[in-house]
Amino acid sequence: EAVRLTLVSDSAQGIAEHGEAIRDLVTGLDADWSAERAGVHADQANEAKSLLPELTAAAVELAEADTLEAARDAFYALSKPLVRFRKAAIGDWPVVAYCSMAKRSWLQPEGELGNPYYGPSMPLCGEVVDG
């Protein structure tokens, strides 16, 4: 969520640190995997675990993003597996929003949309598609 809010404000400040933290979290989860620790339903644990390499690669991409455009692309790369991971998750998760102009989705808390792909120029562009 911190990454999305940073991008909504048209900034990439702190994105590398967030990417590194996400990478570390996913790497730790992969090293000590359990459905309970991952917060997913046991019958969907294998599918959720299969997303970890894609999540790790996207987090590395986010950590290495050196421009706002690269950070937005990396955020989308991270959002794709997170949207799929959400389907296996237990408990309350953010909603899935989609911007038809950017043709990209993202997760965010319920409430007013904050489009991370267009920032302040079009902050409300999009719609909740699942949640």
Side-chain angles (χ1 to χ4, degrees):
E1 177 58 6
V3 174
R4 184 188 70 84
L5 291 173
T6 299
L7 295 174
V8 166
S9 68
D10 240 8
S11 173
Q13 185 175 0
I15 294 286
E17 291 82 6
H18 291 302
E20 291 168 2
I22 295 167
R23 179 205 59 216
D24 292 348
L25 183 118
V26 174
T27 301
L29 185 58
D30 193 26
D32 186 21
W33 175 262
S34 74
E36 182 179 350
R37 187 164 181 263
V40 298
H41 296 280
D43 63 340
Q44 295 178 322
N46 288 338
E47 183 177 338
K49 186 175 183 187
S50 74
L51 296 170
L52 296 184
E54 189 177 351
L55 286 165
T56 301
V60 168
E61 185 180 339
L62 191 63
E64 294 175 351
D66 57 357
T67 66
L68 184 57
E69 181 179 346
R72 285 185 166 131
D73 289 343
F75 178 77
Y76 178 56
L78 185 63
S79 293
K80 290 187 290 185
L82 280 176
V83 166
R84 294 192 315 269
F85 192 94
R86 176 185 176 270
K87 292 185 185 299
I90 297 170
D92 293 331
W93 263 65
V95 299
V96 179
Y98 178 77
C99 174
S100 61
M101 290 185 68
K103 297 185 179 9
R104 293 180 172 190
S105 57
W106 69 93
L107 297 175
Q108 75 163 61
E110 287 187 54
E112 186 174 89
L113 286 181
N115 187 318
Y117 304 114
Y118 286 115
S121 66
M122 295 173 51
L124 303 178
C125 185
E127 63 182 314
V128 172
V129 295
D130 192 6

